[in-house]
Amino acid sequence: MGTEGKISLLGLTLTELQDAVIKAGMPKFTASQIADWIYAKRVCSIDDMTNISKKGRESLSALYTVGRVQAQRTQKSKDGTIKYLFSVGDGRFVESVYIPEKDRATLCISSQAGCQMGCEFCATGRQGFKGNLTAGQILNQVLSIEDAETLTNIVYMGMGEPLNNLTEVLKSMEILTAPYGYAWSPKRITLSTVGILPALKTFIESCSCNLAVSLHIPYPDVRAAYMPAEKAYPIDDVLKLIRQYDWSGQRRVSFEYTMFKGVNDSPADAARLAKMVHGIQCHVNLIPFHKIPESKLEPAAPATMQNFMKELERYKIPTTIRRSRGQDIEAACGMLSQLNYAASESRSETCFNYAERSK
């Protein structure tokens, strides 16, 4: 039986799973069993849920599908970074990036196909907005990679502005951190945003995951020229909101700062940035700019970035220069894009069956 027209179980909260089993004529407690199969055992098919009766599985299969979708394409960088292409239907694709390191493995996931923000230096923004992802499509990126069991961190820094898809993003975060889901610590998860108000306030007050703000340019008028979101959501208002919360505990706030030659890379720019974030217990990540088509921007020199970091440290601002990963496969920061792949859009449930693997 095909999956067309059926609802995906992947991405449903425990409460939603309870509604689903009642609709299928099954006992309410079955929802916890299904959550265990999908999120803990990571099965690909309802038929794999062996502690549910055959009749129950048939009733469930008539209405629902697990919702796992395999990657359409995989590319591996010379530095070990792996980029995955996933179809999300209707000719839309998203990319996810697996970044292995010595003591951690991070997955950069997408929350939208395309992006509405239109940032001058981002390939995703230049392609336009194609639609929001469901919580299931967000979580599918986490589950449907071969190295899923090695993950230590997840960052919502792929395609899209997560706070423009707040409901589904928060659902996916609930499932990642809930005991019935993956039971991850929120400190292993980071959301990156340009600063969408009032969605940012809702995010901060709704969950305990980390926050990364895409600041990039410390002058509002110049920032508006490169980041149109500044006109609707001024960075000064974003910082004012952030100052209302305590960031001294396990939860972290960081500021992302992509460096462009002659635009935001001078000592005066560093001083201005330090003044903006002064008093916020935070970390600044300096990011090398990766050239994208049709952009006149140029990357700041490595030596310039080093001097900029030293200047920030002089102002007692903890700072790191982020190492570029996956640039040779267009997987580095700002390079993700929906390309015109001639790929099948089949919603196949062929996937890495972790329940089978663990037997």
Side-chain angles (χ1 to χ4, degrees), residues 209-355:
C209 296
N210 297 319
L211 172 67
V213 177
S214 297
L215 196 154
H216 303 304
I217 298 171
Y219 306 97
D221 55 339
V222 181
R223 189 173 188 260
Y226 294 95
M227 300 175 67
E230 169 67 27
K231 299 168 187 175
Y233 312 108
I235 190 61
D236 288 342
D237 291 349
V238 173
L239 293 171
K240 182 179 179 180
L241 174 66
I242 288 172
R243 291 181 190 279
Q244 296 175 18
Y245 299 90
D246 180 13
W247 302 96
S248 61
Q250 290 190 339
R251 179 183 228 182
R252 301 188 309 272
V253 60
S254 59
F255 294 96
E256 310 290 286
Y257 195 90
T258 302
M259 294 192 64
F260 313 109
K261 181 180 179 180
V263 175
N264 64 348
D265 62 348
S266 72
D269 298 331
R272 169 66 179 173
L273 175 60
K275 184 177 180 180
M276 289 180 75
V277 302
H278 177 74
I280 302 173
Q281 190 158 330
C282 65
H283 192 99
V284 171
N285 289 311
L286 302 181
I287 304 171
F289 173 58
H290 304 101
K291 285 284 292 181
I292 60 173
E294 299 178 13
S295 175
K296 296 179 181 179
L297 290 167
E298 296 288 338
T304 301
M305 294 186 69
Q306 288 288 341
N307 291 335
F308 197 96
M309 179 174 69
K310 291 176 182 176
E311 190 70 12
L312 286 176
E313 290 174 342
R314 191 170 71 83
Y315 288 98
K316 310 300 182 185
I317 306 296
T319 307
T320 301
I321 296 176
R322 184 177 293 169
R323 188 159 65 96
S324 181
R325 297 290 298 272
Q327 189 171 359
D328 57 321
I329 58 169
E330 296 184 328
C333 292
M335 300 184 80
L336 300 186
S337 179
Q338 173 175 299
L339 302 178
N340 187 24
Y341 291 106
S344 165
E345 292 186 37
S346 168
R347 289 188 61 81
S348 168
E349 290 200 17
T350 301
C351 60
F352 298 106
N353 194 327
Y354 297 97

Side-chain angles (χ1 to χ4, degrees), residues 96-126:
S96 315
V97 181
Y98 173 76
I99 308 166
E101 298 175 83
K102 272 187 179 180
D103 57 350
R104 61 193 288 165
T106 301
L107 185 67
C108 178
I109 61 175
S110 296
S111 55
Q112 296 181 308
C115 185
Q116 295 155 299
M117 295 297 96
C119 296
E120 169 69 21
F121 45 86
C122 178
T124 306
R126 283 174 166 266

Side-chain angles (χ1 to χ4, degrees), residues 86-102:
F86 290 99
S87 168
V88 290
D90 300 324
R92 302 172 302 150
F93 297 90
V94 297
E95 294 183 321
S96 315
V97 181
Y98 173 76
I99 308 166
E101 298 175 83
K102 272 187 179 180

Side-chain angles (χ1 to χ4, degrees), residues 22-23 34 48 50 78 88 98 100 105 123 133 136 153-154 159 161 167 195-196 226 229 269 294 302 305 317 359:
I22 290 171
K23 185 177 180 180
I34 294 171
D48 293 329
T50 52
K78 60 186 178 183
V88 290
Y98 173 76
L133 271 59
N153 298 83
I154 291 172
M159 299 171 66
E161 166 51 65
T167 299
I196 305 296
Y226 294 95
D269 298 331
E294 299 178 13
M305 294 186 69
I317 306 296
K359 287 181 180 178

